[in-house]
Amino acid sequence: MVPAAHFDGRRYVCVQVDCEEDGPHPVWRLWQDRASTDPATVSSWYRLFSFAVALATGVVFDVLELPESAAIRVQAALTEAGHTTPVAVWRERECRLFWTRPGLDPAAVTVPGARVRGAGNWVPAPPTPTRRGAVQWAVSPEQAEWQPVEPAALIAALALAGVAGDAVR
Ligand SMILES: [Zn+2]
């Protein structure tokens, strides 16, 4: 994980004085080499700052970002197929984040407005505060027994939900 810019009620606060990014984002520009899961390192960040938390993607899991309307149908399709995976609602971007095991191929995702967050990317961890409320779990990791679905199962759910378009993004 990596500390993320904190919404102070007016704007997003990070460590860069010239930063104009309006939304949760890692506090450092070159954050990849500083991401850590070491409890001592992580607690030292939060002793110094009151930052939100971003999770690095592409290592333990990938994340598929889907626009809200498609996301609701895909979540239902996953349930129908007997799969559960952690899903977070990021209201500020009007999207939901679906956790999968690493290896989700962006070329296999043809849903308009979808975005695959894999190696070198990140997602805000619930309950990171945003301008439109905290990022929240729709399906918590506990409910999913800490097991993200296989990428193939998520791709199958996109087809089952009928949300896959022609345009490859
Ligand atoms: Zn910033």
Side-chain angles (χ1 to χ4, degrees):
M1 55 208 260
V2 66
H6 162 73
F7 186 64
D8 73 355
R10 256 178 347 110
R11 63 189 196 90
Y12 288 91
V13 182
C14 73
V15 297
Q16 299 154 34
V17 285
D18 59 341
C19 183
E20 291 181 358
E21 208 166 324
D22 189 39
H25 57 281
V27 293
W28 303 300
R29 271 199 192 103
L30 301 172
W31 61 270
Q32 278 92 346
D33 292 338
R34 301 174 77 168
S36 177
T37 53
D38 172 51
T41 305
V42 170
S43 66
S44 75
W45 295 336
Y46 293 92
R47 269 200 299 277
L48 294 174
F49 316 107
S50 59
F51 289 125
V53 179
L55 302 172
T57 52
V59 185
V60 180
F61 54 81
D62 284 354
V63 168
L64 175 62
E65 177 181 327
L66 288 175
E68 179 71 16
S69 56
I72 289 168
R73 290 161 66 181
V74 171
Q75 212 175 308
L78 274 174
T79 305
E80 201 179 312
H83 296 295
T84 46
T85 200
V87 179
V89 182
W90 188 354
R91 208 158 277 119
E92 184 174 53
R93 281 179 70 92
E94 298 183 339
C95 73
R96 293 191 183 201
L97 304 171
F98 290 75
W99 265 247
T100 75
R101 294 191 174 283
L104 182 61
D105 177 10
V109 178
T110 56
V111 182
R115 181 173 172 193
V116 173
R117 292 174 175 257
N121 213 323
W122 59 275
V123 288
T128 289
T130 76
R131 199 181 294 284
R132 292 187 59 195
V135 177
Q136 288 176 322
W137 291 116
V139 180
S140 71
E142 290 86 356
Q143 284 173 286
E145 296 177 342
W146 300 91
Q147 296 291 324
V149 287
E150 293 296 334
L154 186 55
I155 299 297
L158 300 180
L160 184 63
V163 295
D166 298 327
V168 175
R169 288 172 57 107

PDB file of all heavy atoms in Angstrom, residues 99-138:
ATOM      1  N   TRP A  99     -12.241  -6.591  -7.943  1.00  0.00           N
ATOM      2  CA  TRP A  99     -10.950  -7.235  -7.692  1.00  0.00           C
ATOM      3  C   TRP A  99     -10.879  -8.559  -8.468  1.00  0.00           C
ATOM      4  O   TRP A  99     -11.870  -9.313  -8.486  1.00  0.00           O
ATOM      5  CB  TRP A  99     -10.791  -7.513  -6.202  1.00  0.00           C
ATOM      6  CG  TRP A  99     -10.053  -6.454  -5.442  1.00  0.00           C
ATOM      7  CD1 TRP A  99      -8.831  -6.598  -4.860  1.00  0.00           C
ATOM      8  CD2 TRP A  99     -10.473  -5.107  -5.155  1.00  0.00           C
ATOM      9  NE1 TRP A  99      -8.460  -5.409  -4.251  1.00  0.00           N
ATOM     10  CE2 TRP A  99      -9.437  -4.495  -4.420  1.00  0.00           C
ATOM     11  CE3 TRP A  99     -11.602  -4.349  -5.480  1.00  0.00           C
ATOM     12  CZ2 TRP A  99      -9.509  -3.167  -3.990  1.00  0.00           C
ATOM     13  CZ3 TRP A  99     -11.674  -3.039  -5.055  1.00  0.00           C
ATOM     14  CH2 TRP A  99     -10.644  -2.464  -4.321  1.00  0.00           C
ATOM     15  N   THR A 100      -9.749  -8.838  -9.108  1.00  0.00           N
ATOM     16  CA  THR A 100      -9.520 -10.160  -9.709  1.00  0.00           C
ATOM     17  C   THR A 100      -8.095 -10.587  -9.364  1.00  0.00           C
ATOM     18  O   THR A 100      -7.285  -9.778  -8.922  1.00  0.00           O
ATOM     19  CB  THR A 100      -9.622 -10.182 -11.258  1.00  0.00           C
ATOM     20  OG1 THR A 100      -8.441  -9.584 -11.810  1.00  0.00           O
ATOM     21  CG2 THR A 100     -10.851  -9.483 -11.761  1.00  0.00           C
ATOM     22  N   ARG A 101      -7.814 -11.867  -9.611  1.00  0.00           N
ATOM     23  CA  ARG A 101      -6.425 -12.296  -9.510  1.00  0.00           C
ATOM     24  C   ARG A 101      -5.638 -11.581 -10.607  1.00  0.00           C
ATOM     25  O   ARG A 101      -6.225 -11.159 -11.597  1.00  0.00           O
ATOM     26  CB  ARG A 101      -6.331 -13.815  -9.690  1.00  0.00           C
ATOM     27  CG  ARG A 101      -6.994 -14.552  -8.566  1.00  0.00           C
ATOM     28  CD  ARG A 101      -6.685 -16.025  -8.579  1.00  0.00           C
ATOM     29  NE  ARG A 101      -7.245 -16.633  -7.384  1.00  0.00           N
ATOM     30  CZ  ARG A 101      -6.692 -16.532  -6.173  1.00  0.00           C
ATOM     31  NH1 ARG A 101      -5.552 -15.893  -6.006  1.00  0.00           N
ATOM     32  NH2 ARG A 101      -7.260 -17.082  -5.120  1.00  0.00           N
ATOM     33  N   PRO A 102      -4.304 -11.445 -10.457  1.00  0.00           N
ATOM     34  CA  PRO A 102      -3.517 -10.750 -11.477  1.00  0.00           C
ATOM     35  C   PRO A 102      -3.640 -11.456 -12.825  1.00  0.00           C
ATOM     36  O   PRO A 102      -3.882 -12.661 -12.892  1.00  0.00           O
ATOM     37  CB  PRO A 102      -2.082 -10.841 -10.952  1.00  0.00           C
ATOM     38  CG  PRO A 102      -2.205 -11.110  -9.501  1.00  0.00           C
ATOM     39  CD  PRO A 102      -3.471 -11.901  -9.320  1.00  0.00           C
ATOM     40  N   GLY A 103      -3.451 -10.695 -13.908  1.00  0.00           N
ATOM     41  CA  GLY A 103      -3.457 -11.281 -15.247  1.00  0.00           C
ATOM     42  C   GLY A 103      -4.688 -10.932 -16.059  1.00  0.00           C
ATOM     43  O   GLY A 103      -4.937 -11.539 -17.096  1.00  0.00           O
ATOM     44  N   LEU A 104      -5.468  -9.946 -15.601  1.00  0.00           N
ATOM     45  CA  LEU A 104      -6.631  -9.517 -16.370  1.00  0.00           C
ATOM     46  C   LEU A 104      -6.133  -8.784 -17.629  1.00  0.00           C
ATOM     47  O   LEU A 104      -5.441  -7.777 -17.533  1.00  0.00           O
ATOM     48  CB  LEU A 104      -7.509  -8.592 -15.514  1.00  0.00           C
ATOM     49  CG  LEU A 104      -8.800  -8.084 -16.140  1.00  0.00           C
ATOM     50  CD1 LEU A 104      -9.726  -9.239 -16.504  1.00  0.00           C
ATOM     51  CD2 LEU A 104      -9.511  -7.122 -15.201  1.00  0.00           C
ATOM     52  N   ASP A 105      -6.476  -9.331 -18.794  1.00  0.00           N
ATOM     53  CA  ASP A 105      -5.981  -8.786 -20.070  1.00  0.00           C
ATOM     54  C   ASP A 105      -6.869  -7.620 -20.529  1.00  0.00           C
ATOM     55  O   ASP A 105      -8.053  -7.828 -20.808  1.00  0.00           O
ATOM     56  CB  ASP A 105      -6.002  -9.914 -21.111  1.00  0.00           C
ATOM     57  CG  ASP A 105      -5.567  -9.423 -22.485  1.00  0.00           C
ATOM     58  OD1 ASP A 105      -5.081  -8.275 -22.586  1.00  0.00           O
ATOM     59  OD2 ASP A 105      -5.733 -10.190 -23.446  1.00  0.00           O
ATOM     60  N   PRO A 106      -6.317  -6.400 -20.601  1.00  0.00           N
ATOM     61  CA  PRO A 106      -7.142  -5.252 -21.007  1.00  0.00           C
ATOM     62  C   PRO A 106      -7.812  -5.468 -22.371  1.00  0.00           C
ATOM     63  O   PRO A 106      -8.922  -4.987 -22.598  1.00  0.00           O
ATOM     64  CB  PRO A 106      -6.134  -4.100 -21.076  1.00  0.00           C
ATOM     65  CG  PRO A 106      -5.024  -4.510 -20.168  1.00  0.00           C
ATOM     66  CD  PRO A 106      -4.943  -6.014 -20.270  1.00  0.00           C
ATOM     67  N   ALA A 107      -7.165  -6.226 -23.276  1.00  0.00           N
ATOM     68  CA  ALA A 107      -7.725  -6.453 -24.615  1.00  0.00           C
ATOM     69  C   ALA A 107      -8.988  -7.309 -24.558  1.00  0.00           C
ATOM     70  O   ALA A 107      -9.802  -7.291 -25.482  1.00  0.00           O
ATOM     71  CB  ALA A 107      -6.686  -7.110 -25.515  1.00  0.00           C
ATOM     72  N   ALA A 108      -9.168  -8.062 -23.460  1.00  0.00           N
ATOM     73  CA  ALA A 108     -10.341  -8.934 -23.330  1.00  0.00           C
ATOM     74  C   ALA A 108     -11.540  -8.182 -22.750  1.00  0.00           C
ATOM     75  O   ALA A 108     -12.637  -8.707 -22.685  1.00  0.00           O
ATOM     76  CB  ALA A 108      -9.998 -10.137 -22.444  1.00  0.00           C
ATOM     77  N   VAL A 109     -11.295  -6.931 -22.312  1.00  0.00           N
ATOM     78  CA  VAL A 109     -12.365  -6.134 -21.703  1.00  0.00           C
ATOM     79  C   VAL A 109     -12.848  -5.104 -22.725  1.00  0.00           C
ATOM     80  O   VAL A 109     -12.129  -4.163 -23.030  1.00  0.00           O
ATOM     81  CB  VAL A 109     -11.873  -5.420 -20.425  1.00  0.00           C
ATOM     82  CG1 VAL A 109     -12.978  -4.550 -19.837  1.00  0.00           C
ATOM     83  CG2 VAL A 109     -11.393  -6.439 -19.397  1.00  0.00           C
ATOM     84  N   THR A 110     -14.041  -5.321 -23.264  1.00  0.00           N
ATOM     85  CA  THR A 110     -14.536  -4.453 -24.344  1.00  0.00           C
ATOM     86  C   THR A 110     -15.718  -3.612 -23.892  1.00  0.00           C
ATOM     87  O   THR A 110     -16.520  -3.168 -24.694  1.00  0.00           O
ATOM     88  CB  THR A 110     -14.942  -5.312 -25.561  1.00  0.00           C
ATOM     89  OG1 THR A 110     -15.907  -6.274 -25.128  1.00  0.00           O
ATOM     90  CG2 THR A 110     -13.734  -6.033 -26.147  1.00  0.00           C
ATOM     91  N   VAL A 111     -15.830  -3.387 -22.596  1.00  0.00           N
ATOM     92  CA  VAL A 111     -16.930  -2.582 -22.068  1.00  0.00           C
ATOM     93  C   VAL A 111     -16.583  -1.101 -22.220  1.00  0.00           C
ATOM     94  O   VAL A 111     -15.522  -0.671 -21.757  1.00  0.00           O
ATOM     95  CB  VAL A 111     -17.172  -2.908 -20.577  1.00  0.00           C
ATOM     96  CG1 VAL A 111     -18.343  -2.113 -20.038  1.00  0.00           C
ATOM     97  CG2 VAL A 111     -17.375  -4.399 -20.378  1.00  0.00           C
ATOM     98  N   PRO A 112     -17.458  -0.307 -22.868  1.00  0.00           N
ATOM     99  CA  PRO A 112     -17.170   1.128 -22.990  1.00  0.00           C
ATOM    100  C   PRO A 112     -16.971   1.779 -21.623  1.00  0.00           C
ATOM    101  O   PRO A 112     -17.761   1.537 -20.714  1.00  0.00           O
ATOM    102  CB  PRO A 112     -18.418   1.686 -23.683  1.00  0.00           C
ATOM    103  CG  PRO A 112     -19.033   0.508 -24.389  1.00  0.00           C
ATOM    104  CD  PRO A 112     -18.720  -0.690 -23.527  1.00  0.00           C
ATOM    105  N   GLY A 113     -15.907   2.561 -21.480  1.00  0.00           N
ATOM    106  CA  GLY A 113     -15.641   3.267 -20.229  1.00  0.00           C
ATOM    107  C   GLY A 113     -14.929   2.431 -19.183  1.00  0.00           C
ATOM    108  O   GLY A 113     -14.636   2.925 -18.105  1.00  0.00           O
ATOM    109  N   ALA A 114     -14.657   1.155 -19.503  1.00  0.00           N
ATOM    110  CA  ALA A 114     -13.970   0.294 -18.533  1.00  0.00           C
ATOM    111  C   ALA A 114     -12.474   0.590 -18.542  1.00  0.00           C
ATOM    112  O   ALA A 114     -11.930   1.097 -19.518  1.00  0.00           O
ATOM    113  CB  ALA A 114     -14.200  -1.175 -18.860  1.00  0.00           C
ATOM    114  N   ARG A 115     -11.825   0.269 -17.426  1.00  0.00           N
ATOM    115  CA  ARG A 115     -10.393   0.482 -17.317  1.00  0.00           C
ATOM    116  C   ARG A 115      -9.792  -0.630 -16.462  1.00  0.00           C
ATOM    117  O   ARG A 115     -10.315  -0.910 -15.381  1.00  0.00           O
ATOM    118  CB  ARG A 115     -10.172   1.843 -16.663  1.00  0.00           C
ATOM    119  CG  ARG A 115      -8.733   2.230 -16.503  1.00  0.00           C
ATOM    120  CD  ARG A 115      -8.662   3.667 -15.995  1.00  0.00           C
ATOM    121  NE  ARG A 115      -7.288   3.991 -15.650  1.00  0.00           N
ATOM    122  CZ  ARG A 115      -6.922   5.061 -14.953  1.00  0.00           C
ATOM    123  NH1 ARG A 115      -7.838   5.916 -14.533  1.00  0.00           N
ATOM    124  NH2 ARG A 115      -5.665   5.277 -14.676  1.00  0.00           N
ATOM    125  N   VAL A 116      -8.741  -1.257 -16.981  1.00  0.00           N
ATOM    126  CA  VAL A 116      -8.061  -2.302 -16.212  1.00  0.00           C
ATOM    127  C   VAL A 116      -6.910  -1.648 -15.450  1.00  0.00           C
ATOM    128  O   VAL A 116      -6.081  -0.949 -16.030  1.00  0.00           O
ATOM    129  CB  VAL A 116      -7.515  -3.415 -17.125  1.00  0.00           C
ATOM    130  CG1 VAL A 116      -6.666  -4.403 -16.319  1.00  0.00           C
ATOM    131  CG2 VAL A 116      -8.681  -4.154 -17.799  1.00  0.00           C
ATOM    132  N   ARG A 117      -6.886  -1.847 -14.145  1.00  0.00           N
ATOM    133  CA  ARG A 117      -5.793  -1.328 -13.317  1.00  0.00           C
ATOM    134  C   ARG A 117      -4.900  -2.503 -12.916  1.00  0.00           C
ATOM    135  O   ARG A 117      -5.290  -3.303 -12.069  1.00  0.00           O
ATOM    136  CB  ARG A 117      -6.354  -0.611 -12.087  1.00  0.00           C
ATOM    137  CG  ARG A 117      -7.076   0.680 -12.459  1.00  0.00           C
ATOM    138  CD  ARG A 117      -7.752   1.296 -11.263  1.00  0.00           C
ATOM    139  NE  ARG A 117      -8.343   2.576 -11.594  1.00  0.00           N
ATOM    140  CZ  ARG A 117      -7.807   3.766 -11.260  1.00  0.00           C
ATOM    141  NH1 ARG A 117      -6.693   3.821 -10.579  1.00  0.00           N
ATOM    142  NH2 ARG A 117      -8.416   4.882 -11.594  1.00  0.00           N
ATOM    143  N   GLY A 118      -3.766  -2.625 -13.603  1.00  0.00           N
ATOM    144  CA  GLY A 118      -2.837  -3.718 -13.363  1.00  0.00           C
ATOM    145  C   GLY A 118      -1.498  -3.202 -12.877  1.00  0.00           C
ATOM    146  O   GLY A 118      -1.445  -2.256 -12.081  1.00  0.00           O
ATOM    147  N   ALA A 119      -0.406  -3.803 -13.341  1.00  0.00           N
ATOM    148  CA  ALA A 119       0.935  -3.456 -12.869  1.00  0.00           C
ATOM    149  C   ALA A 119       1.193  -1.962 -13.005  1.00  0.00           C
ATOM    150  O   ALA A 119       0.898  -1.351 -14.029  1.00  0.00           O
ATOM    151  CB  ALA A 119       1.974  -4.240 -13.662  1.00  0.00           C
ATOM    152  N   GLY A 120       1.748  -1.367 -11.939  1.00  0.00           N
ATOM    153  CA  GLY A 120       2.124   0.047 -11.962  1.00  0.00           C
ATOM    154  C   GLY A 120       0.976   0.980 -11.648  1.00  0.00           C
ATOM    155  O   GLY A 120       1.156   2.194 -11.612  1.00  0.00           O
ATOM    156  N   ASN A 121      -0.224   0.425 -11.452  1.00  0.00           N
ATOM    157  CA  ASN A 121      -1.374   1.280 -11.168  1.00  0.00           C
ATOM    158  C   ASN A 121      -1.779   1.104  -9.700  1.00  0.00           C
ATOM    159  O   ASN A 121      -1.098   0.425  -8.940  1.00  0.00           O
ATOM    160  CB  ASN A 121      -2.506   0.935 -12.138  1.00  0.00           C
ATOM    161  CG  ASN A 121      -3.344   2.155 -12.494  1.00  0.00           C
ATOM    162  OD1 ASN A 121      -3.606   3.026 -11.670  1.00  0.00           O
ATOM    163  ND2 ASN A 121      -3.758   2.215 -13.748  1.00  0.00           N
ATOM    164  N   TRP A 122      -2.896   1.669  -9.313  1.00  0.00           N
ATOM    165  CA  TRP A 122      -3.323   1.664  -7.921  1.00  0.00           C
ATOM    166  C   TRP A 122      -4.824   1.906  -7.867  1.00  0.00           C
ATOM    167  O   TRP A 122      -5.422   2.333  -8.863  1.00  0.00           O
ATOM    168  CB  TRP A 122      -2.598   2.777  -7.149  1.00  0.00           C
ATOM    169  CG  TRP A 122      -2.877   4.107  -7.760  1.00  0.00           C
ATOM    170  CD1 TRP A 122      -2.217   4.680  -8.823  1.00  0.00           C
ATOM    171  CD2 TRP A 122      -3.942   4.996  -7.443  1.00  0.00           C
ATOM    172  NE1 TRP A 122      -2.808   5.859  -9.160  1.00  0.00           N
ATOM    173  CE2 TRP A 122      -3.879   6.091  -8.325  1.00  0.00           C
ATOM    174  CE3 TRP A 122      -4.955   4.975  -6.481  1.00  0.00           C
ATOM    175  CZ2 TRP A 122      -4.783   7.153  -8.293  1.00  0.00           C
ATOM    176  CZ3 TRP A 122      -5.855   6.037  -6.440  1.00  0.00           C
ATOM    177  CH2 TRP A 122      -5.756   7.114  -7.336  1.00  0.00           C
ATOM    178  N   VAL A 123      -5.420   1.631  -6.721  1.00  0.00           N
ATOM    179  CA  VAL A 123      -6.816   1.999  -6.457  1.00  0.00           C
ATOM    180  C   VAL A 123      -6.911   2.557  -5.038  1.00  0.00           C
ATOM    181  O   VAL A 123      -6.107   2.207  -4.180  1.00  0.00           O
ATOM    182  CB  VAL A 123      -7.778   0.786  -6.577  1.00  0.00           C
ATOM    183  CG1 VAL A 123      -7.953   0.369  -8.017  1.00  0.00           C
ATOM    184  CG2 VAL A 123      -7.305  -0.397  -5.721  1.00  0.00           C
ATOM    185  N   PRO A 124      -7.898   3.440  -4.786  1.00  0.00           N
ATOM    186  CA  PRO A 124      -8.092   3.923  -3.411  1.00  0.00           C
ATOM    187  C   PRO A 124      -8.716   2.805  -2.579  1.00  0.00           C
ATOM    188  O   PRO A 124      -9.631   2.121  -3.043  1.00  0.00           O
ATOM    189  CB  PRO A 124      -9.071   5.091  -3.574  1.00  0.00           C
ATOM    190  CG  PRO A 124      -9.818   4.798  -4.836  1.00  0.00           C
ATOM    191  CD  PRO A 124      -8.864   4.030  -5.725  1.00  0.00           C
ATOM    192  N   ALA A 125      -8.201   2.596  -1.364  1.00  0.00           N
ATOM    193  CA  ALA A 125      -8.759   1.566  -0.486  1.00  0.00           C
ATOM    194  C   ALA A 125      -9.961   2.133   0.262  1.00  0.00           C
ATOM    195  O   ALA A 125      -9.883   3.232   0.795  1.00  0.00           O
ATOM    196  CB  ALA A 125      -7.701   1.121   0.513  1.00  0.00           C
ATOM    197  N   PRO A 126     -11.089   1.408   0.304  1.00  0.00           N
ATOM    198  CA  PRO A 126     -12.162   1.829   1.214  1.00  0.00           C
ATOM    199  C   PRO A 126     -11.618   1.885   2.641  1.00  0.00           C
ATOM    200  O   PRO A 126     -10.815   1.008   2.987  1.00  0.00           O
ATOM    201  CB  PRO A 126     -13.205   0.707   1.065  1.00  0.00           C
ATOM    202  CG  PRO A 126     -12.918   0.103  -0.292  1.00  0.00           C
ATOM    203  CD  PRO A 126     -11.434   0.201  -0.449  1.00  0.00           C
ATOM    204  N   PRO A 127     -11.965   2.844   3.488  1.00  0.00           N
ATOM    205  CA  PRO A 127     -12.931   3.934   3.230  1.00  0.00           C
ATOM    206  C   PRO A 127     -12.244   5.265   2.917  1.00  0.00           C
ATOM    207  O   PRO A 127     -12.493   6.271   3.582  1.00  0.00           O
ATOM    208  CB  PRO A 127     -13.666   4.013   4.552  1.00  0.00           C
ATOM    209  CG  PRO A 127     -12.566   3.715   5.574  1.00  0.00           C
ATOM    210  CD  PRO A 127     -11.558   2.825   4.881  1.00  0.00           C
ATOM    211  N   THR A 128     -11.388   5.331   1.901  1.00  0.00           N
ATOM    212  CA  THR A 128     -10.743   6.592   1.531  1.00  0.00           C
ATOM    213  C   THR A 128     -11.808   7.673   1.271  1.00  0.00           C
ATOM    214  O   THR A 128     -12.729   7.450   0.487  1.00  0.00           O
ATOM    215  CB  THR A 128      -9.873   6.377   0.262  1.00  0.00           C
ATOM    216  OG1 THR A 128      -8.737   5.594   0.630  1.00  0.00           O
ATOM    217  CG2 THR A 128      -9.388   7.702  -0.321  1.00  0.00           C
ATOM    218  N   PRO A 129     -11.694   8.818   1.959  1.00  0.00           N
ATOM    219  CA  PRO A 129     -12.690   9.878   1.750  1.00  0.00           C
ATOM    220  C   PRO A 129     -12.520  10.568   0.396  1.00  0.00           C
ATOM    221  O   PRO A 129     -11.390  10.756  -0.064  1.00  0.00           O
ATOM    222  CB  PRO A 129     -12.421  10.858   2.891  1.00  0.00           C
ATOM    223  CG  PRO A 129     -11.099  10.525   3.448  1.00  0.00           C
ATOM    224  CD  PRO A 129     -10.668   9.188   2.939  1.00  0.00           C
ATOM    225  N   THR A 130     -13.605  10.908  -0.262  1.00  0.00           N
ATOM    226  CA  THR A 130     -13.555  11.664  -1.527  1.00  0.00           C
ATOM    227  C   THR A 130     -14.577  12.787  -1.437  1.00  0.00           C
ATOM    228  O   THR A 130     -15.341  12.876  -0.468  1.00  0.00           O
ATOM    229  CB  THR A 130     -13.915  10.794  -2.758  1.00  0.00           C
ATOM    230  OG1 THR A 130     -15.325  10.598  -2.797  1.00  0.00           O
ATOM    231  CG2 THR A 130     -13.200   9.453  -2.729  1.00  0.00           C
ATOM    232  N   ARG A 131     -14.599  13.614  -2.447  1.00  0.00           N
ATOM    233  CA  ARG A 131     -15.536  14.741  -2.507  1.00  0.00           C
ATOM    234  C   ARG A 131     -16.996  14.254  -2.422  1.00  0.00           C
ATOM    235  O   ARG A 131     -17.868  14.972  -1.976  1.00  0.00           O
ATOM    236  CB  ARG A 131     -15.304  15.479  -3.829  1.00  0.00           C
ATOM    237  CG  ARG A 131     -15.828  16.880  -3.873  1.00  0.00           C
ATOM    238  CD  ARG A 131     -15.581  17.500  -5.218  1.00  0.00           C
ATOM    239  NE  ARG A 131     -14.160  17.705  -5.512  1.00  0.00           N
ATOM    240  CZ  ARG A 131     -13.427  18.679  -4.977  1.00  0.00           C
ATOM    241  NH1 ARG A 131     -13.958  19.525  -4.146  1.00  0.00           N
ATOM    242  NH2 ARG A 131     -12.156  18.790  -5.295  1.00  0.00           N
ATOM    243  N   ARG A 132     -17.253  13.032  -2.910  1.00  0.00           N
ATOM    244  CA  ARG A 132     -18.630  12.519  -2.864  1.00  0.00           C
ATOM    245  C   ARG A 132     -18.744  11.360  -1.874  1.00  0.00           C
ATOM    246  O   ARG A 132     -19.398  10.354  -2.154  1.00  0.00           O
ATOM    247  CB  ARG A 132     -19.069  12.088  -4.265  1.00  0.00           C
ATOM    248  CG  ARG A 132     -19.221  13.286  -5.215  1.00  0.00           C
ATOM    249  CD  ARG A 132     -19.825  12.876  -6.536  1.00  0.00           C
ATOM    250  NE  ARG A 132     -21.131  12.266  -6.374  1.00  0.00           N
ATOM    251  CZ  ARG A 132     -21.735  11.575  -7.342  1.00  0.00           C
ATOM    252  NH1 ARG A 132     -21.135  11.393  -8.502  1.00  0.00           N
ATOM    253  NH2 ARG A 132     -22.921  11.054  -7.138  1.00  0.00           N
ATOM    254  N   GLY A 133     -18.125  11.502  -0.727  1.00  0.00           N
ATOM    255  CA  GLY A 133     -18.223  10.470   0.304  1.00  0.00           C
ATOM    256  C   GLY A 133     -17.114   9.448   0.175  1.00  0.00           C
ATOM    257  O   GLY A 133     -16.351   9.455  -0.786  1.00  0.00           O
ATOM    258  N   ALA A 134     -17.043   8.569   1.155  1.00  0.00           N
ATOM    259  CA  ALA A 134     -15.964   7.586   1.196  1.00  0.00           C
ATOM    260  C   ALA A 134     -16.151   6.529   0.120  1.00  0.00           C
ATOM    261  O   ALA A 134     -17.271   6.194  -0.258  1.00  0.00           O
ATOM    262  CB  ALA A 134     -15.930   6.924   2.568  1.00  0.00           C
ATOM    263  N   VAL A 135     -15.016   6.034  -0.394  1.00  0.00           N
ATOM    264  CA  VAL A 135     -15.055   4.839  -1.238  1.00  0.00           C
ATOM    265  C   VAL A 135     -15.528   3.706  -0.329  1.00  0.00           C
ATOM    266  O   VAL A 135     -15.020   3.551   0.782  1.00  0.00           O
ATOM    267  CB  VAL A 135     -13.649   4.527  -1.795  1.00  0.00           C
ATOM    268  CG1 VAL A 135     -13.661   3.237  -2.612  1.00  0.00           C
ATOM    269  CG2 VAL A 135     -13.134   5.699  -2.653  1.00  0.00           C
ATOM    270  N   GLN A 136     -16.545   2.959  -0.782  1.00  0.00           N
ATOM    271  CA  GLN A 136     -17.163   1.949   0.092  1.00  0.00           C
ATOM    272  C   GLN A 136     -17.154   0.571  -0.549  1.00  0.00           C
ATOM    273  O   GLN A 136     -17.231   0.466  -1.769  1.00  0.00           O
ATOM    274  CB  GLN A 136     -18.630   2.305   0.333  1.00  0.00           C
ATOM    275  CG  GLN A 136     -18.824   3.495   1.235  1.00  0.00           C
ATOM    276  CD  GLN A 136     -20.295   3.856   1.350  1.00  0.00           C
ATOM    277  OE1 GLN A 136     -21.044   3.767   0.385  1.00  0.00           O
ATOM    278  NE2 GLN A 136     -20.692   4.256   2.536  1.00  0.00           N
ATOM    279  N   TRP A 137     -17.124  -0.447   0.287  1.00  0.00           N
ATOM    280  CA  TRP A 137     -17.286  -1.805  -0.236  1.00  0.00           C
ATOM    281  C   TRP A 137     -18.746  -2.042  -0.595  1.00  0.00           C
ATOM    282  O   TRP A 137     -19.635  -1.733   0.193  1.00  0.00           O
ATOM    283  CB  TRP A 137     -16.872  -2.845   0.813  1.00  0.00           C
ATOM    284  CG  TRP A 137     -15.415  -2.880   1.119  1.00  0.00           C
ATOM    285  CD1 TRP A 137     -14.833  -2.581   2.319  1.00  0.00           C
ATOM    286  CD2 TRP A 137     -14.347  -3.252   0.229  1.00  0.00           C
ATOM    287  NE1 TRP A 137     -13.461  -2.734   2.210  1.00  0.00           N
ATOM    288  CE2 TRP A 137     -13.144  -3.141   0.948  1.00  0.00           C
ATOM    289  CE3 TRP A 137     -14.306  -3.651  -1.111  1.00  0.00           C
ATOM    290  CZ2 TRP A 137     -11.903  -3.414   0.371  1.00  0.00           C
ATOM    291  CZ3 TRP A 137     -13.078  -3.923  -1.688  1.00  0.00           C
ATOM    292  CH2 TRP A 137     -11.888  -3.807  -0.951  1.00  0.00           C
ATOM    293  N   ALA A 138     -19.002  -2.616  -1.778  1.00  0.00           N
ATOM    294  CA  ALA A 138     -20.323  -3.154  -2.120  1.00  0.00           C
ATOM    295  C   ALA A 138     -20.300  -4.634  -1.743  1.00  0.00           C
ATOM    296  O   ALA A 138     -21.296  -5.177  -1.259  1.00  0.00           O
ATOM    297  CB  ALA A 138     -20.614  -2.971  -3.601  1.00  0.00           C
TER     298      ALA A 138
END
